[in-house]
Amino acid sequence: MNDSSLDRVVRIILKDIAVGLTHEFDKNFSRQAFFSKAWARRKSPIRPGRAILTDTGGLRRSLRHESTANSVTFMSDLPYAAIHNEGGRIRVTPRMKRFFWAKMYEAQGRFNF
């Protein structure tokens, strides 16, 4: 097998891997797990039974991949994707606090103007 044939085989294999992983990553949202490791349940009193990470479906639709000669990389351009994937700290602003309090009052049925 010459180098060009080997390169072609590698490209085909990487394409198959990308297609298979794209399907599996999409299924993770249905399974609510990263393959077999379940995601932590949501703690929201407003939406306790809803699916995790699928409020609008934007994160699910944003996943894409790029291939090079010897790798496949999956990514998302959404700014909140990294915090969901890797964890971290979120700085809570005064505006966010007002929103959270409003949602808490709404969930308790005490939201009055």
Side-chain angles (χ1 to χ4, degrees):
M1 188 179 292
N2 61 28
D3 285 344
S4 65
S5 296
L6 181 60
D7 290 342
R8 184 174 178 273
V9 169
V10 170
R11 277 195 315 271
I12 291 169
I13 291 170
L14 288 175
K15 183 178 178 182
D16 288 346
I17 290 170
V19 169
L21 283 176
T22 298
H23 177 71
E24 286 301 316
F25 287 149
D26 188 60
K27 284 185 67 163
N28 284 339
F29 285 89
S30 299
R31 287 188 289 253
Q32 298 185 43
F34 185 69
F35 297 101
S36 62
K37 185 177 184 224
W39 293 334
R41 301 305 308 161
R42 77 169 69 230
K43 297 173 184 161
S44 170
I46 298 171
R47 301 176 302 192
R50 297 220 10 218
I52 301 168
L53 297 181
T54 54
D55 191 30
T56 65
L59 181 60
R60 187 177 194 169
R61 287 188 306 273
S62 75
L63 295 178
R64 61 185 176 82
H65 69 274
E66 289 181 358
S67 299
T68 65
N70 58 5
S71 69
V72 178
T73 304
F74 283 83
M75 66 201 72
S76 170
D77 291 333
L78 293 178
Y80 56 85
I83 201 80
H84 283 298
N85 192 50
E86 299 160 14
R89 295 187 182 269
I90 299 172
R91 189 175 69 83
V92 178
T93 65
R95 182 177 178 202
M96 291 166 74
K97 285 181 183 180
R98 287 192 305 273
F99 177 78
F100 295 148
W101 279 108
K103 286 297 185 181
M104 186 194 79
Y105 291 138
E106 180 183 318
Q108 293 177 347
R110 297 186 304 143
F111 194 75
N112 298 319
F113 289 102

